[in-house]
Amino acid sequence: SRWGFAIAGSVNGYAFTNEPTLNGRLAIEGDRNRVEFVVTPRVSYELTPGYQAFIEGWGNRREYDSTFDATPDHFKRSSSGYAIAAGTDLKLGDVVTGEAYVGYQDQMYDDARLTSNAGAYLGASILWNITQLTSLKFAASRGIEETILAGSSGLWDTELKFTAEHELLRNILLTAGINYSMYEYQGISRNDSTISGSVGGRWRFTQVYSAGVTGLIQHRWSDLGINSFTRAAVAIDFRAAF
């Protein structure tokens, strides 16, 4: 059939710890602990071989462990939201694949003092396999994310990402990437941005198990001229895929 239907669901949990600051106080982060439930149905139709149009919707529930956050106003941060988008999948053999979509997203908060976030919801990704060993990927997205910043209900996260991969050997993959994100906080006048670059490698020592190392440099700044910082990090991970 040229028609297709899919449904996906996820449950993500986030846990944070309170940390001491340089001035001897305690930075409260535990009020960010939450669980997010998402269900996503999609209906698609094959227009021509290699091109598939789709309509996708999703609903979510973001449930915080604490009824109120630790800001002076003690907001209720839990919320419910939905999004609907139309787009197309692209598949030109094994060389170029991708998708693009545009739609509408709305997030509604339990606390009446927090205004709903609503607006354009969009994304796109293109994977270009230049050779059998080298590939390039570009991705862009815009959606609503969480914050506990005083006075803000949430933020719009606009992200641009470019990644290059090269298979040095059959079991060794090298990667490099650059990522830019802009955070538009709702309810307050503040925009933050981050830019980062990374390089890494992954060694697959069996069909199931692999290990990787990634180096990252990131810089973050705000249009308010506060809380800017630069950080460097190295991550080592082990994975099992079944």
Side-chain angles (χ1 to χ4, degrees), residues 121-201:
Y121 163 70
L122 51 90
S125 64
I126 293 291
L127 174 62
W128 177 24
N129 295 310
I130 302 175
T131 70
Q132 293 183 340
L133 301 178
T134 305
S135 63
L136 300 177
K137 184 175 183 179
F138 172 78
S141 63
R142 182 178 190 263
I144 298 171
E145 298 295 340
E146 295 294 287
T147 184
I148 57 168
L149 205 60
S152 179
S153 55
L155 62 91
W156 282 95
D157 180 8
T158 302
E159 185 173 36
L160 302 175
K161 183 183 295 185
F162 176 81
T163 307
E165 293 185 349
H166 178 71
E167 187 178 297
L168 184 64
L169 299 172
R170 291 186 62 87
N171 62 337
I172 297 180
L173 182 68
L174 304 179
T175 61
I178 186 169
N179 183 30
Y180 171 77
S181 296
M182 181 175 68
Y183 311 116
E184 302 171 90
Y185 292 91
Q186 304 301 295
I188 61 175
S189 179
R190 175 174 173 173
N191 294 331
D192 290 359
S193 299
T194 65
I195 187 168
S196 60
S198 64
V199 293

